[in-house]
Amino acid sequence: MRAAIIGAGLGGLLAANLLAKEGYKVDVFEKLPFIGGRFTNLTYKGFELSTGALHMIPHGKRGPLGSLLKELKVDVEIKDSKPEGEALYNDKREILTKKVAPFKTLMKFYAKSLIHKFFGRDFYLNEFQKGIDEFSGKFIDAFLGWSLSITSREILFSKFLKIYQQTMRFRGPGIPIGGCKAVIDGLVENLKSYDGKIHLRKKVEGIVVESAKAKGVIVKNERIDCDLVISNVGHYETQKLVGKDYLGYLKMKLSESSGIKYSIALNEPFIGHSGVLFTLDAQRIAGLNEVTNADPNLAPNGKHLLMAHQPMLTSNVKYEISLGLKDLKRILNGYNYEILVVQSYTDGWPVNRVKAGMDIGVETPYTNLFVVGDGAKGDDIEVDGIALGVLRFGELI
Ligand code: AMP
């Protein structure tokens, strides 16, 4: 049995490993000259910056991605963050525990959860925020902005509840030693051991579908026949490659999320640990992490790599960046810092193909054609959601 994978991002490589382990002959086609998509490193001035994602796995080694990597026997070390998170609120830092939220807010949350469970009532999360204490309201905004690049007006209570339950079950983040690239390198090594192939600079130009069944891919005008086609490029692009219509429906249903990431060099630690610092007082920046506290090799000797992230609240990228930079100036007051790179994702690539909670699953209207990766996530945060999508794909085949 032969499988063609379109795109060597995290989802594509996880699916490739799963299939190779099951005995498939796997070919991964990647249009760029490098492997890993938005989940690998870019070396700049001796700092290991990331192409898209933060060097972080939302639920560390215990979560869906950590467990899947372990099951696939991928050789990567994930260091769980301790503490998992802190909040910067009214210029004071406080370690996050359940006790940080007032009893009344927690009770309201549990009551809404029960109403949802027994009566199926659902609503956008901003409705829940009305009337709760200021700290919890701002924490929800920072958490959503940091981990999902969205606001509470864009996520249903039911989806947030699932993510909350996943967080309670698997706990907080971890950092792969070596950054995102270490995970990708591990997957590539593993795939090679099964004789799987990755073809760089090979853009898939079309997907061959006959009688509603995927039969192969077109690369450089050549038809490559296979039994399974797995796309790592989201439903929208996949549909374009098929050239048949489920597009109209998708265009209506799916909207991308957009955000801005700052990579910052420091001569001394600012956070001082490897957890997330949620910035509740800031206008745009939702949170920061300092990965060099887990892996000093992600920066030149003695330096630190701090990353900050904000959701885009308007469509004006320059304006959003100006607000983000203003926040950073205030947050890092007294520190000698250098902004290494500002990355925005709004259109084309890199891009978050679907807003969190709006993914439509891994199946397509065509037999033997599946979508994995961003755009086909399960109900969890970013790469842990990607792992859940790949696991679902594994169940279906
Ligand atoms: P990500 O953006 O991390 O989800 O990864 C998706 C990967 O798919 C990236 O590495 C893209 O360069 C790659 N990609 C996108 N479109 C195509 C295509 N038509 N053929 C091959 N690779 C593609």
Side-chain angles (χ1 to χ4, degrees):
M1 299 278 268
R2 194 167 177 189
I5 317 268
I6 309 169
L10 179 67
L13 291 175
L14 285 170
N17 272 267
L18 211 71
L19 290 169
K21 201 171 157 231
E22 291 298 315
Y24 278 80
K25 182 178 173 334
V26 176
D27 285 282
V28 184
F29 299 97
E30 168 55 56
K31 71 173 178 184
L32 294 175
F34 67 89
I35 302 172
R38 284 169 294 152
F39 203 73
T40 188
N41 300 6
L42 286 169
T43 308
Y44 178 70
K45 290 189 177 177
F47 290 85
E48 292 298 322
L49 309 183
S50 59
T51 43
L54 300 144
H55 292 307
M56 215 165 210
I57 298 177
H59 302 304
K61 57 173 162 249
R62 299 160 308 271
L65 179 59
S67 308
L68 181 55
L69 290 170
K70 201 168 162 193
E71 193 187 311
L72 291 168
K73 297 194 169 54
V74 171
D75 183 21
V76 59
E77 185 190 344
I78 300 165
K79 197 165 176 179
D80 286 334
S81 302
K82 223 172 167 188
E84 295 167 347
E86 266 190 299
L88 181 62
Y89 178 58
N90 289 340
D91 292 325
K92 283 200 205 83
R93 279 168 61 165
E94 188 167 1
I95 299 218
L96 287 166
T97 62
K98 259 195 199 170
K99 289 186 203 118
V100 179
F103 183 70
K104 208 172 142 197
T105 300
L106 276 179
M107 283 303 108
K108 183 174 172 182
F109 184 68
Y110 293 139
K112 295 275 180 199
S113 309
L114 286 175
I115 290 169
H116 170 70
K117 187 172 172 195
F118 291 112
F119 303 105
R121 191 173 169 255
D122 214 353
F123 45 90
Y124 281 93
L125 191 61
N126 62 327
E127 200 183 309
F128 168 75
Q129 268 177 316
K130 286 179 198 150
I132 65 171
D133 64 289
E134 189 188 70
F135 174 90
S136 306
K138 284 188 166 186
F139 174 71
I140 288 175
D141 287 338
F143 175 80
L144 294 177
W146 165 262
S147 49
L148 306 173
S149 298
I150 55 169
T151 67
S152 56
R153 286 187 302 280
E154 297 166 297
I155 185 165
L156 286 167
F157 182 81
S158 55
K159 294 285 175 186
F160 180 75
L161 184 62
K162 286 227 170 100
I163 287 173
Y164 172 81
Q165 286 163 343
Q166 289 287 92
T167 307
M168 287 302 114
R169 182 170 170 205
F170 297 120
R171 306 301 317 171
I175 292 168
I177 301 303
C180 301
K181 187 170 182 291
V183 175
I184 297 298
D185 285 349
L187 285 166
V188 171
E189 276 309 299
N190 227 29
L191 186 62
K192 279 187 184 156
S193 73
Y194 289 112
D195 217 21
K197 303 266 184 307
I198 302 175
H199 311 272
L200 292 179
R201 293 192 178 88
K202 289 275 161 72
K203 182 177 176 184
V204 172
E205 290 143 358
I207 298 171
V208 182
V209 170
E210 288 163 5
S211 314
K213 209 173 191 172
K215 297 274 185 165
V217 291
I218 308 285
V219 181
K220 298 214 162 153
N221 288 325
E222 190 196 330
R223 174 176 166 152
I224 298 161
D225 288 322
C226 58
D227 304 287
L228 262 185
V229 178
I230 296 93
S231 167
N232 183 198
V233 304
H235 280 280
Y236 183 69
E237 292 300 323
T238 303
Q239 173 60 52
K240 285 210 276 193
L241 291 173
V242 173
K244 291 202 179 101
D245 185 30
Y246 66 97
L247 256 177
Y249 164 72
L250 281 173
K251 216 173 184 168
M252 263 181 342
K253 258 199 113 176
L254 304 180
S255 60
E256 295 170 349
S257 73
S258 40
I260 298 166
K261 190 183 84 189
Y262 304 81
S263 297
I264 305 155
L266 286 162
N267 293 327
E268 56 184 313
F270 166 68
I271 299 183
H273 58 72
S274 57
V276 182
L277 179 66
F278 293 99
T279 46
L280 277 53
D281 300 326
Q283 221 182 329
R284 282 297 192 275
I285 299 292
L288 304 124
N289 69 346
E290 198 168 58
V291 288
T292 31
N293 296 315
D295 181 1
N297 292 328
L298 293 171
N301 210 357
K303 301 255 184 195
H304 280 269
L305 175 60
L306 183 70
M307 288 187 275
H309 185 260
Q310 71 177 80
M312 288 260 300
L313 301 189
T314 68
S315 55
N316 186 334
V317 183
K318 275 193 182 156
Y319 171 69
E320 291 291 321
I321 292 176
S322 72
L323 292 182
L325 291 174
K326 225 158 125 186
D327 279 340
L328 288 172
K329 203 168 168 185
R330 203 174 86 80
I331 295 166
L332 296 172
N333 183 25
Y335 283 80
N336 187 7
Y337 67 95
E338 180 196 350
I339 308 269
L340 295 165
V341 177
V342 181
Q343 289 161 288
S344 69
Y345 50 98
T346 50
D347 200 8
W349 188 89
V351 65
N352 263 3
R353 293 186 183 91
V354 183
K355 277 187 179 150
M358 292 174 129
D359 298 71
I360 56 164
V362 297
E363 288 170 275
T364 71
Y366 309 107
T367 315
N368 296 345
L369 173 62
F370 296 89
V371 176
V372 295
D374 173 36
K377 297 190 292 292
D379 287 328
D380 209 332
I381 305 167
E382 303 298 348
V383 288
D384 276 322
I386 287 178
L388 286 183
V390 172
L391 285 168
R392 173 80 190 123
F393 157 73
E395 281 165 19
L396 288 169
I397 55 143

